Amino acid sequence: MSQAGNTVKIFDTTLRDGEQSPGCSMTLRQKLKVAQALAELRVDIIEAGFPAASPGDFEAVQRIASEIEGPVICGLARCVEGDILACRDALAPAKRKRIHVFIATSPIHREHKLKMSKEAIIEQAVKGVKLARQYFDDVEFSAEDGIRTERDYLAEVFSAAVEAGASTLNVPDTVGYSVPSEMSDLFHYLRQHIRGVENVTLSVHCHDDLGMAVANSLSAVEAGARQVECTINGIGERAGNCSLEEVVMALKTRKDYFNLETGIETRKLYPTSRLVSDVTGAEVARNKAIVGDNAFAHEAGIHQHGMLQNPDTYEIMRPEDVGISRSSLVLGKHSGRHAFRERAEALGFDKLDDEAFEQGFQAFKKLADKKKEIFDSDIEAILMGIDESQPGTWSLASLQVHSACGTATRPTATVVLQHIDGHQVTEAATGDGPIDAVFKAIERATGISPTLSDFRVRSVSLGEDAQGQADVTAEYQGRFWRGRGLNTDIIAATTEAFLEMINRIIRTADTAQAQPQSKIDAL
Ligand code: KIV
Ligand code: ZN
């Protein structure tokens, strides 16, 4: 039986299995950005693509291989010469490289897809691995639909692959069919029946069709797998793949149980998740484990009270450990005095006397009844006595956007902003897209240039005249600011959101200058 060590390798396939799923495709530039983030996250292996699939895939693998350092860069290939040679060429610039060859082994794939006998499949697998070994020291072999393959035959195929030179054997649950106990049973079986298994790494690759990809992967790990194939945010074919952040945090949080480690820099999980969501447009569900907006939000007062006494009451992981700053967690109408006081103190209002605190808290409760989420800027506005119902410094007088898709002309925006003192400012700018052009024009007009960190548009009603809600978050002078706009025209909604955020920045700065600390304290 193989001697499994206590480190689990994280094989990230966001750029291959994730990217090939509908709605998740990325441009070359985006792939490079994600690959860089994966390297900073310290994944062990980046599966950068399937070079034989298209010239675009080839180029992406080649660029990642030449520009990204740290992880092993891997390319996928069927057990056929053309695919293997494409991988050889695309991965040539990589300092550390791996080829991942696969062939389907289950009866249903043998009979209906490949129309090949069991023997012919073994022969082709061996040929593929041997050819791959001519160009790569590191060869991974996958038995596609391994889960629905007869166990004894699967062990035979894997034994032949080891003999031909594979150093990693991957068991894919291609259709997300397995359950955890079956998975661990299979890995125990494979560890006993694959010839030469003690010299190779066993790997697991789960899809999430029945919502068990993470549980199945962890079961495989418990039974000896030492590589998990996964994707950021669990993106992938159909219901997706095993989610990297979930499997990594399960191993870290329950180290007492698994006694295993990964090399992942977990504080990069949240930023990487946001990056993948931004570039693919695939939103992360609010309640998604580890990286969802609500994953660390304790809305109920009783939970917040317990949390403030001792975070362990309701928190098994610290948000900081996955890269979420505690101050980014929103408060809401169920938040109690403790949570409000803690946030107020974190924002620098640590000298409030009882009366000022109580006044602020009552104003917060009133606002929370009207507004679902209360951000730091809202709390600051309350505590600084800023009346958010007053008109902002700048309002939009008119907006013109010109964007001609498919031409070389850069999108242009012209904004006319009305200042509260009556004067108007007109500014125009070009940008990478119409929204970028609008932001730049507003920045010029107001003289404030925040760094955008999040931007989302979603429909909040149905039909052709649906209202679009735009939310922007940006960093300015070390703080995060938010704005929201609602309009049937999404460019107008985005412009309103950006302007609301700029007005908040100005209001807070003006009030801070105009009001001495004693006035704030005397609220
Ligand atoms: O799901 C699957 O079977 C795959 C293989 C190519 C590993 O993605
Ligand atoms: Zn897959």
Side-chain angles (χ1 to χ4, degrees):
M1 220 208 281
S2 71
Q3 295 300 308
N6 68 351
T7 303
V8 178
K9 285 186 192 154
I10 298 298
F11 176 113
D12 181 276
T13 183
T14 305
L15 293 169
R16 199 277 298 169
D17 223 353
E19 204 264 348
Q20 78 188 37
S21 67
C24 287
S25 57
M26 300 176 210
T27 62
L28 175 60
R29 220 172 75 181
Q30 291 171 333
K31 285 183 186 176
L32 283 164
K33 225 167 150 185
V34 170
Q36 182 56 40
L38 292 171
E40 287 167 22
L41 183 63
R42 299 218 209 106
V43 304
D44 296 282
I45 300 112
I46 295 176
E47 188 165 49
F50 189 172
S54 70
D57 250 48
F58 182 94
E59 192 189 355
V61 176
Q62 194 174 43
R63 289 281 300 275
I64 291 169
S66 61
E67 292 176 31
I68 306 298
E69 288 186 9
V72 171
I73 309 296
C74 173
L76 183 70
R78 290 167 297 176
C79 287
V80 297
E81 188 177 3
D83 284 21
I84 294 168
L85 298 185
C87 262
R88 175 198 64 186
D89 297 342
L91 289 166
K95 286 211 174 89
R96 303 172 68 212
K97 57 187 150 190
R98 170 184 293 190
I99 187 168
H100 176 189
V101 293
F102 75 100
I103 189 164
T105 51
S106 66
I108 192 146
H109 280 243
R110 290 195 313 257
E111 282 155 35
H112 299 281
K113 186 176 88 174
L114 298 175
K115 303 191 190 328
M116 286 168 76
S117 67
K118 283 178 166 178
E119 296 71 28
I121 282 173
I122 295 189
E123 205 177 303
Q124 184 149 346
V126 167
K127 248 170 98 178
V129 173
K130 282 192 171 158
L131 181 62
R133 275 306 307 266
Q134 289 185 19
Y135 311 111
F136 294 86
D137 293 334
D138 185 349
V139 175
E140 169 169 337
F141 172 77
S142 272
E144 189 188 5
D145 205 15
I147 286 299
R148 293 191 298 169
T149 300
E150 305 89 331
R151 284 185 174 190
D152 53 347
Y153 177 60
L154 187 61
E156 262 323 296
V157 180
F158 279 142
S159 300
V162 175
E163 210 178 322
S167 43
T168 302
L169 300 176
N170 182 41
V171 183
D173 184 6
T174 305
V175 290
Y177 184 72
S178 195
V179 299
S181 51
E182 182 184 43
M183 192 57 109
S184 65
D185 213 47
L186 174 63
F187 272 79
H188 283 304
Y189 175 89
L190 292 175
R191 286 180 70 194
Q192 275 163 354
H193 291 87
I194 297 170
R195 293 185 296 282
V197 73
E198 59 284 354
N199 302 317
V200 300
T201 301
L202 288 182
S203 167
V204 63
H205 174 114
C206 295
H207 282 263
D208 206 32
D209 298 67
L210 292 171
M212 288 186 277
V214 173
N216 285 336
S217 302
L218 290 169
S219 268
V221 163
E222 267 194 275
R226 286 297 174 266
Q227 175 176 287
V228 175
E229 301 200 353
C230 43
T231 60
I232 299 293
N233 298 337
I235 63 168
E237 289 281 16
R238 307 178 306 278
N241 287 53
C242 170
S243 143
L244 182 149
E245 52 283 355
E246 292 179 24
V247 90
V248 164
M249 288 311 288
L251 291 172
K252 181 178 165 86
T253 309
R254 295 307 312 275
K255 186 154 193 295
D256 61 317
Y257 179 77
F258 292 105
N259 195 25
L260 292 169
E261 277 173 3
T262 71
I264 295 294
E265 167 54 275
T266 62
R267 280 168 303 177
K268 299 272 185 196
L269 285 172
Y270 182 73
T272 313
S273 156
R274 288 294 131 158
L275 173 68
V276 169
S277 164
D278 286 348
V279 301
T280 59
E283 286 214 15
V284 174
R286 285 192 87 84
N287 63 337
K288 161 96 172 61
I290 319 296
V291 289
D293 281 348
N294 286 357
F296 293 93
H298 300 271
E299 173 72 26
I302 189 163
H303 283 208
Q304 290 190 348
H305 180 76
M307 280 282 303
L308 292 162
Q309 304 304 313
N310 180 346
D312 291 346
T313 48
Y314 289 102
E315 205 168 77
I316 57 165
M317 294 165 275
R318 296 184 319 148
E320 298 90 325
D321 288 347
V322 303
I324 299 178
S325 89
R326 235 172 239 284
S327 67
S328 70
L329 305 179
V330 292
L331 299 184
K333 68 175 178 182
H334 301 293
S335 304
R337 280 186 175 71
H338 275 87
F340 183 72
R341 187 182 287 283
E342 197 196 43
R343 188 60 58 84
E345 286 178 1
L347 290 170
F349 296 93
D350 49 359
K351 295 192 194 79
L352 296 177
D353 62 27
D354 288 351
E355 200 188 326
F357 173 79
E358 195 52 33
Q359 251 180 321
F361 182 64
Q362 292 310 330
F364 158 73
K365 280 293 196 190
K366 230 161 114 189
L367 183 64
D369 265 341
K370 290 194 232 142
K371 224 171 155 239
K372 245 172 79 192
E373 296 170 333
I374 306 291
F375 300 119
D376 285 356
S377 44
D378 296 312
I379 295 175
E380 244 170 10
I382 289 171
L383 293 175
M384 294 178 97
I386 296 169
D387 185 354
E388 287 257 23
S389 66
Q390 293 301 311
T393 305
W394 294 101
S395 55
L396 187 66
S398 80
L399 168 69
Q400 264 187 35
V401 177
H402 179 75
S403 173
C405 291
T407 71
T409 319
R410 272 168 73 74
T412 313
T414 308
V415 295
V416 182
L417 297 188
Q418 174 84 41
H419 194 270
I420 197 163
D421 70 7
H423 79 281
Q424 288 196 334
V425 176
T426 304
E427 278 293 353
T430 59
D432 288 339
I435 287 173
D436 186 41
V438 171
F439 289 174
K440 286 194 172 121
I442 294 180
E443 285 173 14
R444 279 189 194 159
T446 61
I448 294 175
S449 301
T451 308
L452 201 64
S453 59
D454 196 24
F455 163 50
R456 281 153 205 256
V457 180
R458 66 186 180 97
S459 167
V460 287
S461 55
L462 295 174
E464 281 176 8
D465 58 349
Q467 291 262 68
Q469 177 180 301
D471 288 282
V472 293
T473 308
E475 204 180 341
Y476 184 72
Q477 296 188 336
R479 294 261 320 279
F480 283 95
W481 304 82
R482 289 183 171 88
R484 175 168 286 175
L486 204 63
N487 202 298
T488 48
D489 175 334
I490 56 165
I491 297 192
T494 309
T495 309
E496 285 167 16
F498 198 73
L499 215 46
E500 182 182 86
M501 184 184 67
I502 297 268
N503 280 331
R504 284 215 168 112
I505 294 174
I506 296 172
R507 249 188 225 129
T508 308
D510 285 354
T511 317
Q513 262 174 20
Q515 300 190 10
Q517 186 67 26
S518 58
K519 174 93 191 285
I520 297 167
D521 290 348
L523 235 182

